[in-house]
Amino acid sequence: MSERQNAFTIKTNRLSDEVYNQLATYAKSRKLGDYISSLILRDLDDSSTGRKEREDKKTYEMFEHIKNELSELKVLAQTTGFVGSNTFKEEEPSKVPQL
């Protein structure tokens, strides 16, 4: 890519002092263009398949975790005798099994 002499002017009153100072630091070190370019390239990558794939992976991992937890609860319920009848009767507190 050839060296470009174009300049952009950012006009906004919504920049916090912290953001403005960071941009000023990059501008003074003559790295503002590279910094902005890297942010835009990252956004372009995220907006394509990158973000969707990460979200799909997180969703899959959550479902797997829930599935495993439910499986463990089922085993625990079976081993403690909690499962067996389809109806729950009110029992005296002393007769309710403690988990």
Side-chain angles (χ1 to χ4, degrees), residues 19-59:
V19 171
Y20 183 86
N21 291 335
Q22 187 66 31
L23 289 172
T25 301
Y26 278 108
K28 287 177 187 172
S29 66
R30 303 182 71 81
K31 295 180 181 179
L32 183 58
D34 293 337
Y35 176 66
I36 292 172
S37 177
S38 70
L39 293 177
I40 292 170
L41 289 172
R42 184 188 69 192
D43 287 349
L44 290 172
D45 182 48
D46 282 352
S47 66
S48 62
T49 58
R51 184 182 341 158
K52 176 87 170 102
E53 288 173 359
R54 284 192 301 273
E55 288 173 357
D56 289 348
K57 183 178 178 183
K58 285 181 184 179
T59 302

Short mmCIF file of all heavy atoms in Angstrom, two decimals, residues 19-59:
data_model
loop_
_atom_site.label_atom_id
_atom_site.label_comp_id
_atom_site.label_asym_id
_atom_site.label_seq_id
_atom_site.Cartn_x
_atom_site.Cartn_y
_atom_site.Cartn_z
N VAL A 19 -10.37 9.13 26.00
CA VAL A 19 -10.28 8.71 24.59
C VAL A 19 -9.52 9.76 23.78
O VAL A 19 -8.65 9.41 22.97
CB VAL A 19 -11.71 8.49 24.01
CG1 VAL A 19 -11.65 8.28 22.50
CG2 VAL A 19 -12.39 7.33 24.69
N TYR A 20 -9.83 11.03 24.00
CA TYR A 20 -9.15 12.09 23.26
C TYR A 20 -7.64 12.05 23.52
O TYR A 20 -6.84 12.15 22.58
CB TYR A 20 -9.71 13.46 23.66
CG TYR A 20 -9.08 14.58 22.88
CD1 TYR A 20 -9.58 14.95 21.64
CD2 TYR A 20 -7.96 15.26 23.37
CE1 TYR A 20 -9.00 15.96 20.91
CE2 TYR A 20 -7.37 16.27 22.64
CZ TYR A 20 -7.90 16.62 21.41
OH TYR A 20 -7.30 17.62 20.69
N ASN A 21 -7.25 11.88 24.77
CA ASN A 21 -5.83 11.84 25.10
C ASN A 21 -5.14 10.64 24.46
O ASN A 21 -3.99 10.74 24.01
CB ASN A 21 -5.64 11.82 26.62
CG ASN A 21 -6.03 13.13 27.26
OD1 ASN A 21 -6.03 14.19 26.62
ND2 ASN A 21 -6.41 13.08 28.52
N GLN A 22 -5.84 9.50 24.42
CA GLN A 22 -5.25 8.31 23.79
C GLN A 22 -5.05 8.55 22.29
O GLN A 22 -4.02 8.21 21.73
CB GLN A 22 -6.15 7.09 24.03
CG GLN A 22 -5.56 5.79 23.56
CD GLN A 22 -4.33 5.39 24.35
OE1 GLN A 22 -4.21 5.69 25.54
NE2 GLN A 22 -3.40 4.74 23.71
N LEU A 23 -6.05 9.15 21.65
CA LEU A 23 -5.92 9.46 20.22
C LEU A 23 -4.79 10.47 19.98
O LEU A 23 -4.02 10.34 19.02
CB LEU A 23 -7.23 10.01 19.67
CG LEU A 23 -8.37 9.00 19.52
CD1 LEU A 23 -9.66 9.71 19.16
CD2 LEU A 23 -8.02 7.95 18.49
N ALA A 24 -4.68 11.44 20.86
CA ALA A 24 -3.61 12.44 20.73
C ALA A 24 -2.24 11.79 20.86
O ALA A 24 -1.30 12.13 20.14
CB ALA A 24 -3.79 13.54 21.78
N THR A 25 -2.11 10.82 21.76
CA THR A 25 -0.85 10.10 21.93
C THR A 25 -0.47 9.35 20.66
O THR A 25 0.68 9.40 20.21
CB THR A 25 -0.96 9.11 23.12
OG1 THR A 25 -1.27 9.84 24.30
CG2 THR A 25 0.34 8.35 23.31
N TYR A 26 -1.45 8.65 20.07
CA TYR A 26 -1.18 7.95 18.81
C TYR A 26 -0.84 8.93 17.70
O TYR A 26 0.04 8.67 16.88
CB TYR A 26 -2.38 7.10 18.39
CG TYR A 26 -2.44 5.76 19.08
CD1 TYR A 26 -3.39 5.50 20.06
CD2 TYR A 26 -1.56 4.73 18.75
CE1 TYR A 26 -3.46 4.27 20.69
CE2 TYR A 26 -1.62 3.50 19.38
CZ TYR A 26 -2.57 3.28 20.35
OH TYR A 26 -2.64 2.06 20.97
N ALA A 27 -1.52 10.06 17.67
CA ALA A 27 -1.26 11.05 16.62
C ALA A 27 0.15 11.62 16.74
O ALA A 27 0.85 11.76 15.73
CB ALA A 27 -2.30 12.17 16.68
N LYS A 28 0.58 11.92 17.96
CA LYS A 28 1.91 12.47 18.17
C LYS A 28 3.01 11.49 17.78
O LYS A 28 4.06 11.87 17.31
CB LYS A 28 2.09 12.90 19.63
CG LYS A 28 1.33 14.16 19.98
CD LYS A 28 1.48 14.50 21.46
CE LYS A 28 0.58 15.64 21.84
NZ LYS A 28 0.56 15.89 23.28
N SER A 29 2.73 10.20 18.00
CA SER A 29 3.73 9.19 17.67
C SER A 29 3.61 8.74 16.21
O SER A 29 4.32 7.83 15.79
CB SER A 29 3.58 7.98 18.59
OG SER A 29 2.35 7.32 18.35
N ARG A 30 2.73 9.38 15.47
CA ARG A 30 2.51 9.10 14.05
C ARG A 30 2.06 7.65 13.82
O ARG A 30 2.37 7.04 12.82
CB ARG A 30 3.75 9.42 13.23
CG ARG A 30 4.22 10.88 13.40
CD ARG A 30 5.41 11.24 12.58
NE ARG A 30 5.17 11.32 11.15
CZ ARG A 30 4.63 12.37 10.51
NH1 ARG A 30 4.24 13.41 11.20
NH2 ARG A 30 4.48 12.35 9.20
N LYS A 31 1.30 7.12 14.79
CA LYS A 31 0.78 5.76 14.68
C LYS A 31 -0.75 5.72 14.68
O LYS A 31 -1.34 4.65 14.74
CB LYS A 31 1.30 4.90 15.84
CG LYS A 31 2.79 4.69 15.81
CD LYS A 31 3.24 3.83 16.96
CE LYS A 31 4.76 3.66 16.92
NZ LYS A 31 5.24 2.86 18.04
N LEU A 32 -1.37 6.89 14.59
CA LEU A 32 -2.83 6.94 14.65
C LEU A 32 -3.46 6.21 13.46
O LEU A 32 -4.42 5.47 13.63
CB LEU A 32 -3.32 8.39 14.70
CG LEU A 32 -4.84 8.58 14.83
CD1 LEU A 32 -5.37 7.88 16.07
CD2 LEU A 32 -5.19 10.07 14.85
N GLY A 33 -2.92 6.41 12.29
CA GLY A 33 -3.46 5.74 11.10
C GLY A 33 -3.40 4.23 11.21
O GLY A 33 -4.37 3.52 10.90
N ASP A 34 -2.25 3.72 11.67
CA ASP A 34 -2.10 2.27 11.84
C ASP A 34 -3.08 1.74 12.90
O ASP A 34 -3.66 0.67 12.75
CB ASP A 34 -0.68 1.92 12.26
CG ASP A 34 0.34 2.20 11.16
OD1 ASP A 34 -0.07 2.25 9.98
OD2 ASP A 34 1.52 2.36 11.50
N TYR A 35 -3.24 2.52 13.96
CA TYR A 35 -4.13 2.11 15.03
C TYR A 35 -5.58 2.05 14.53
O TYR A 35 -6.28 1.05 14.75
CB TYR A 35 -4.01 3.07 16.21
CG TYR A 35 -4.96 2.80 17.34
CD1 TYR A 35 -4.86 1.64 18.09
CD2 TYR A 35 -5.98 3.70 17.65
CE1 TYR A 35 -5.74 1.38 19.14
CE2 TYR A 35 -6.86 3.45 18.69
CZ TYR A 35 -6.74 2.28 19.42
OH TYR A 35 -7.60 2.03 20.44
N ILE A 36 -6.02 3.08 13.86
CA ILE A 36 -7.39 3.11 13.33
C ILE A 36 -7.58 1.99 12.32
O ILE A 36 -8.61 1.31 12.32
CB ILE A 36 -7.71 4.49 12.72
CG1 ILE A 36 -7.78 5.54 13.83
CG2 ILE A 36 -9.00 4.45 11.92
CD1 ILE A 36 -7.89 6.97 13.34
N SER A 37 -6.61 1.77 11.48
CA SER A 37 -6.69 0.71 10.48
C SER A 37 -6.84 -0.65 11.16
O SER A 37 -7.66 -1.49 10.74
CB SER A 37 -5.44 0.72 9.60
OG SER A 37 -5.47 -0.33 8.69
N SER A 38 -6.07 -0.90 12.22
CA SER A 38 -6.17 -2.19 12.91
C SER A 38 -7.54 -2.38 13.55
O SER A 38 -8.09 -3.48 13.56
CB SER A 38 -5.07 -2.32 13.96
OG SER A 38 -5.30 -1.46 15.05
N LEU A 39 -8.13 -1.29 14.08
CA LEU A 39 -9.46 -1.39 14.66
C LEU A 39 -10.52 -1.70 13.61
O LEU A 39 -11.41 -2.53 13.83
CB LEU A 39 -9.83 -0.08 15.38
CG LEU A 39 -9.03 0.28 16.62
CD1 LEU A 39 -9.47 1.64 17.16
CD2 LEU A 39 -9.19 -0.79 17.69
N ILE A 40 -10.40 -1.06 12.46
CA ILE A 40 -11.37 -1.29 11.39
C ILE A 40 -11.23 -2.70 10.84
O ILE A 40 -12.23 -3.39 10.61
CB ILE A 40 -11.22 -0.23 10.28
CG1 ILE A 40 -11.66 1.13 10.84
CG2 ILE A 40 -12.02 -0.61 9.04
CD1 ILE A 40 -11.35 2.30 9.93
N LEU A 41 -10.01 -3.17 10.66
CA LEU A 41 -9.81 -4.54 10.18
C LEU A 41 -10.36 -5.56 11.18
O LEU A 41 -10.96 -6.56 10.80
CB LEU A 41 -8.33 -4.81 9.92
CG LEU A 41 -7.75 -4.10 8.69
CD1 LEU A 41 -6.23 -4.28 8.65
CD2 LEU A 41 -8.40 -4.62 7.42
N ARG A 42 -10.19 -5.29 12.45
CA ARG A 42 -10.74 -6.17 13.49
C ARG A 42 -12.26 -6.20 13.42
O ARG A 42 -12.89 -7.25 13.49
CB ARG A 42 -10.29 -5.72 14.87
CG ARG A 42 -10.74 -6.66 15.98
CD ARG A 42 -10.47 -6.12 17.35
NE ARG A 42 -11.34 -4.97 17.56
CZ ARG A 42 -11.20 -4.11 18.56
NH1 ARG A 42 -10.22 -4.25 19.41
NH2 ARG A 42 -12.04 -3.11 18.72
N ASP A 43 -12.86 -5.01 13.25
CA ASP A 43 -14.32 -4.94 13.14
C ASP A 43 -14.83 -5.67 11.91
O ASP A 43 -15.85 -6.35 11.96
CB ASP A 43 -14.79 -3.49 13.10
CG ASP A 43 -14.68 -2.80 14.45
OD1 ASP A 43 -14.45 -3.49 15.46
OD2 ASP A 43 -14.83 -1.56 14.48
N LEU A 44 -14.11 -5.53 10.80
CA LEU A 44 -14.51 -6.23 9.58
C LEU A 44 -14.43 -7.73 9.77
O LEU A 44 -15.32 -8.47 9.33
CB LEU A 44 -13.64 -5.80 8.40
CG LEU A 44 -13.87 -4.37 7.90
CD1 LEU A 44 -12.81 -4.01 6.86
CD2 LEU A 44 -15.27 -4.21 7.33
N ASP A 45 -13.40 -8.19 10.43
CA ASP A 45 -13.24 -9.62 10.68
C ASP A 45 -14.33 -10.12 11.62
O ASP A 45 -14.92 -11.16 11.40
CB ASP A 45 -11.86 -9.91 11.28
CG ASP A 45 -11.65 -11.40 11.51
OD1 ASP A 45 -11.94 -12.18 10.59
OD2 ASP A 45 -11.22 -11.76 12.62
N ASP A 46 -14.61 -9.35 12.67
CA ASP A 46 -15.65 -9.74 13.63
C ASP A 46 -17.02 -9.75 12.99
O ASP A 46 -17.87 -10.55 13.35
CB ASP A 46 -15.65 -8.80 14.83
CG ASP A 46 -14.54 -9.10 15.81
OD1 ASP A 46 -13.85 -10.12 15.62
OD2 ASP A 46 -14.35 -8.31 16.74
N SER A 47 -17.26 -8.85 12.05
CA SER A 47 -18.58 -8.77 11.46
C SER A 47 -18.82 -9.90 10.46
O SER A 47 -19.95 -10.18 10.11
CB SER A 47 -18.79 -7.42 10.77
OG SER A 47 -17.93 -7.30 9.66
N SER A 48 -17.78 -10.54 10.02
CA SER A 48 -17.97 -11.65 9.10
C SER A 48 -18.17 -12.93 9.90
O SER A 48 -18.89 -12.96 10.86
CB SER A 48 -16.80 -11.75 8.13
OG SER A 48 -15.60 -12.00 8.84
N THR A 49 -17.53 -13.98 9.54
CA THR A 49 -17.76 -15.28 10.17
C THR A 49 -17.14 -15.39 11.55
O THR A 49 -17.58 -16.23 12.34
CB THR A 49 -17.20 -16.40 9.29
OG1 THR A 49 -15.81 -16.18 9.09
CG2 THR A 49 -17.91 -16.47 7.96
N GLY A 50 -16.18 -14.60 11.88
CA GLY A 50 -15.47 -14.73 13.15
C GLY A 50 -16.37 -14.65 14.36
O GLY A 50 -16.35 -15.52 15.23
N ARG A 51 -17.17 -13.62 14.45
CA ARG A 51 -18.03 -13.43 15.62
C ARG A 51 -19.10 -14.51 15.67
O ARG A 51 -19.38 -15.06 16.73
CB ARG A 51 -18.67 -12.05 15.59
CG ARG A 51 -19.49 -11.78 16.83
CD ARG A 51 -20.21 -10.47 16.87
NE ARG A 51 -19.72 -9.47 15.96
CZ ARG A 51 -20.44 -8.45 15.55
NH1 ARG A 51 -21.67 -8.31 15.94
NH2 ARG A 51 -19.95 -7.55 14.72
N LYS A 52 -19.71 -14.81 14.54
CA LYS A 52 -20.76 -15.83 14.48
C LYS A 52 -20.24 -17.18 14.95
O LYS A 52 -20.90 -17.87 15.72
CB LYS A 52 -21.31 -15.92 13.06
CG LYS A 52 -22.34 -17.00 12.86
CD LYS A 52 -23.72 -16.52 13.19
CE LYS A 52 -24.77 -17.52 12.77
NZ LYS A 52 -25.28 -18.31 13.84
N GLU A 53 -19.07 -17.55 14.50
CA GLU A 53 -18.48 -18.83 14.90
C GLU A 53 -18.21 -18.86 16.40
O GLU A 53 -18.45 -19.87 17.06
CB GLU A 53 -17.21 -19.11 14.12
CG GLU A 53 -17.46 -19.46 12.67
CD GLU A 53 -16.19 -19.58 11.85
OE1 GLU A 53 -15.09 -19.37 12.40
OE2 GLU A 53 -16.30 -19.88 10.66
N ARG A 54 -17.70 -17.77 16.96
CA ARG A 54 -17.44 -17.72 18.40
C ARG A 54 -18.73 -17.82 19.20
O ARG A 54 -18.79 -18.51 20.21
CB ARG A 54 -16.68 -16.44 18.76
CG ARG A 54 -15.21 -16.49 18.37
CD ARG A 54 -14.43 -15.36 19.00
NE ARG A 54 -14.90 -14.04 18.63
CZ ARG A 54 -14.51 -13.36 17.56
NH1 ARG A 54 -13.64 -13.89 16.73
NH2 ARG A 54 -14.98 -12.16 17.30
N GLU A 55 -19.78 -17.12 18.74
CA GLU A 55 -21.05 -17.17 19.43
C GLU A 55 -21.65 -18.58 19.36
O GLU A 55 -22.19 -19.08 20.34
CB GLU A 55 -22.03 -16.15 18.85
CG GLU A 55 -21.68 -14.72 19.19
CD GLU A 55 -22.54 -13.70 18.47
OE1 GLU A 55 -23.39 -14.10 17.64
OE2 GLU A 55 -22.36 -12.51 18.74
N ASP A 56 -21.55 -19.21 18.19
CA ASP A 56 -22.05 -20.57 18.04
C ASP A 56 -21.30 -21.53 18.96
O ASP A 56 -21.90 -22.42 19.57
CB ASP A 56 -21.93 -21.05 16.59
CG ASP A 56 -22.92 -20.36 15.66
OD1 ASP A 56 -23.85 -19.69 16.16
OD2 ASP A 56 -22.75 -20.48 14.43
N LYS A 57 -19.99 -21.35 19.06
CA LYS A 57 -19.19 -22.23 19.92
C LYS A 57 -19.58 -22.04 21.39
O LYS A 57 -19.72 -23.01 22.13
CB LYS A 57 -17.70 -21.93 19.73
CG LYS A 57 -16.80 -22.83 20.53
CD LYS A 57 -15.35 -22.54 20.29
CE LYS A 57 -14.48 -23.44 21.17
NZ LYS A 57 -13.08 -23.16 21.03
N LYS A 58 -19.78 -20.79 21.81
CA LYS A 58 -20.18 -20.53 23.19
C LYS A 58 -21.55 -21.14 23.49
O LYS A 58 -21.76 -21.71 24.56
CB LYS A 58 -20.21 -19.02 23.47
CG LYS A 58 -18.84 -18.41 23.62
CD LYS A 58 -18.96 -16.93 23.91
CE LYS A 58 -17.59 -16.29 23.98
NZ LYS A 58 -17.69 -14.84 24.24
N THR A 59 -22.48 -21.00 22.54
CA THR A 59 -23.80 -21.57 22.72
C THR A 59 -23.73 -23.08 22.85
O THR A 59 -24.35 -23.68 23.74
CB THR A 59 -24.72 -21.18 21.54
OG1 THR A 59 -24.79 -19.76 21.46
CG2 THR A 59 -26.12 -21.75 21.71
#
